[in-house]
Amino acid sequence: MDGAPELGRVTDRRPPFKYSALARVWFSDTDAQGVVYYGRYLPYFDHARTEYHRHLGAPAVGGCEFVMRASAVEYHAPARFDDLIEAFVRVARIGRSSVTYECAAYRLPDETLMVTAQQTLVLIDIGTRRPSPVPDDLRAAIRRFEGEDLEA
């Protein structure tokens, strides 16, 4: 993306995922019972997704931005203050103007699955606020990394 150091990593630990990023649970992520507030997992996945695109060297999509269209989240186990979380991300599908990601968060070092999610983002033209086609070079970068047929 911009040449900044990656905060994620390529991994083969949890197929079909090939990329993950680490996050530490901060005190501000927790509720009064000391458990991670359910909405805080979305930023962990956003972090992993951003680093995934940085790893791809994904070109900037001039005049456009990805916005959340849908997010389905399932909670399997709680995380607590100071836990280390590994958030995995992969592209499951590329549509005309959208990209669907699958995500999973595991607590380390015990490898407990905490949360899974599927999120669809739509590429929006900033000026018109209308969907814009996913550029061919971004499609190609994702396909090279994932090694799969990801079209709708």
Side-chain angles (χ1 to χ4, degrees), residues 23-70:
R24 176 82 57 193
V25 174
W26 292 20
F27 181 76
S28 60
D29 294 342
T30 63
D31 61 19
Q33 290 77 38
V35 173
V36 171
Y37 174 69
Y38 72 91
R40 289 300 302 154
Y41 289 99
L42 298 178
Y44 301 151
F45 293 144
D46 182 59
H47 168 65
R49 193 174 55 251
T50 299
E51 294 304 317
Y52 173 93
H53 280 268
R54 184 180 318 283
H55 175 75
L56 294 179
V61 186
C64 294
E65 64 183 18
F66 277 104
V67 297
M68 190 68 65
R69 165 72 170 88

Side-chain angles (χ1 to χ4, degrees), residues 88-130:
F88 292 84
V89 64
R90 69 181 290 270
V91 171
R93 179 187 166 280
I94 305 173
R96 187 188 76 76
S97 61
S98 66
V99 179
T100 299
Y101 300 85
E102 291 178 351
C103 306
Y106 289 82
R107 182 177 53 226
L108 298 177
D110 67 356
E111 303 287 341
T112 299
L113 175 63
M114 295 178 307
V115 178
T116 54
Q118 185 175 58
Q119 300 179 318
T120 300
L121 283 76
V122 176
L123 188 62
I124 299 293
D125 181 289
I126 295 170
T128 65
R129 303 308 295 166
R130 304 290 308 153

